[in-house]
Amino acid sequence: MHATNALAEADRIMTVCNSCRYCEGLCAVFPAMEMRRTFPDGDLDYLANLCHGCGACYYDCQFSPPHEFNVDAPRTLAEVRAQSYARYAWPAAFSSLFARNGCAISIAAAIGILLFLAGFGLLESDSFLTAHTGAGAFYALMPHAAMVFVFGLAFLYALASLGAGLAKFWRASGGVGRTFATLRFLLQAARDAGRLRYLDGGGAGCVNENERPGDRRALFHHFTFYGFLLCFAATCVATLYHYVLGREAPYAWYSLPVLLGTAGGLGLLIGPAGLFAAKLHRDPALREPESRSMDLAFIAMLFLTGASGLALLLFRATAAMGPLLAIHLGIVLALFLTMPYGKFVHGIYRFAALVHYARERVQSKETALS
């Protein structure tokens, strides 16, 4: 017995696919499937998160709809994947946020922006709409210690929640605690994730529309992923500037934190916009209605993070700096707080699945040679 109908359907489809094995060269899901004869819930969650949703198996399969076997692996695994996010959420009481993710993120963003706007306006009513320049200009509106306290707590909460959810997913999918820290498997998973190895449908590319494969989704995923990493790197370097070099923000446009942040912000404009356009042109047979709201909310939050950060950079020496800083901080705070309960977790679980697959693949080869 399975916990949900989607898991039961995934078991049926994987059983059919395990008998056929025509798609074993497309991605990591099918070789991982072939290492199993039965499919408990944890294994199905693992396979679902290993799936990158390229859609190649749907078009290559001789049993896909309208065949009576009705093998629709991408849609079924997408449903299982979305359910797994809620199943492993921590605290479990917040798991329902996945079902209402678009609404939850919109409310969090609105509240965050309003709180910062109100706080800046009340505490610094005389200078809120006044231009601030020079070192420490941002802290004229919000003290550095207060900023670190608020965002430090939010970031630590996000890390704790994501870490607890990851631990639950890892145990359920058959992972061994010590194995996850094995450098060999971590590096292989990092290489696979860094180049989106399994988003190419076995080499042809991701299917977007009219059964024509291409690499647009992969390209925009790269913009989004590396844009986010560059923004994170900018924050880390700015922290070193502040505490090690004693230099206060805002920094010159040619400084390393600004250069990294600008590149990251552009990535968060181009990537999410491209992913949104790709979703509109996605073949209807491959669309995921169960997670559509969650996907769009996450794309919107990343886009707004990049847009508000770049706007703050452009107008930081003007009277618009106060409102723009409040808007940017409100969006970033909402992003941190909703990270564990939205599409962001797909990257965490998918990386864990890639680590698990790297281990299984090595063990399978060693078993075959012994």
Side-chain angles (χ1 to χ4, degrees), residues 281-324:
H281 295 94
R282 187 86 158 144
D283 189 327
L286 297 175
R287 291 176 186 171
E288 306 161 9
E290 300 83 4
S291 60
R292 182 175 177 82
S293 173
M294 178 168 56
D295 294 352
L296 294 179
F298 184 54
I299 287 173
M301 284 297 288
L302 290 176
F303 181 87
L304 290 173
T305 299
S308 61
L310 290 173
L312 178 60
L313 174 64
L314 290 173
F315 300 103
R316 63 184 181 176
T318 71
M321 190 265 277
L324 288 174

Side-chain angles (χ1 to χ4, degrees), residues 52 187-198 354 357 361:
H52 286 49
L187 290 176
Q188 181 60 54
R191 285 193 291 268
D192 292 342
R195 58 194 179 99
L196 295 176
R197 177 180 179 182
Y198 298 114
L354 287 169
Y357 177 63
R361 188 167 48 180

Side-chain angles (χ1 to χ4, degrees), residues 135-165:
F138 293 152
Y139 310 132
L141 294 171
M142 184 176 185
H144 181 263
M147 198 176 292
V148 170
F149 178 77
V150 171
F151 286 92
L153 280 182
F155 184 64
L156 289 175
Y157 174 78
L159 282 182
S161 299
L162 289 168

Side-chain angles (χ1 to χ4, degrees), residues 197-212:
R197 177 180 179 182
Y198 298 114
L199 195 64
D200 66 355
C206 188
V207 178
N208 288 295
E209 58 182 337
N210 301 324
E211 304 183 22
R212 294 197 302 269

Side-chain angles (χ1 to χ4, degrees), residues 42 45-46 49-50 84-92 98 157-177 179-181 186 189 339-342 344-356:
D45 285 337
Y46 157 57
N49 281 280
L50 195 58
S84 74
Y85 303 155
R87 187 156 46 251
Y88 301 116
W90 185 91
F98 283 98
Y157 174 78
L159 282 182
S161 299
L162 289 168
L166 173 61
K168 291 166 67 176
F169 169 74
W170 184 251
R171 289 192 299 268
S173 61
V176 180
T179 304
F180 194 82
L186 287 170
M339 267 184 182
Y341 314 110
F344 184 83
V345 300
H346 89 284
I348 306 295
Y349 292 172
R350 185 161 289 163
F351 181 78
L354 287 169
V355 175
H356 195 2

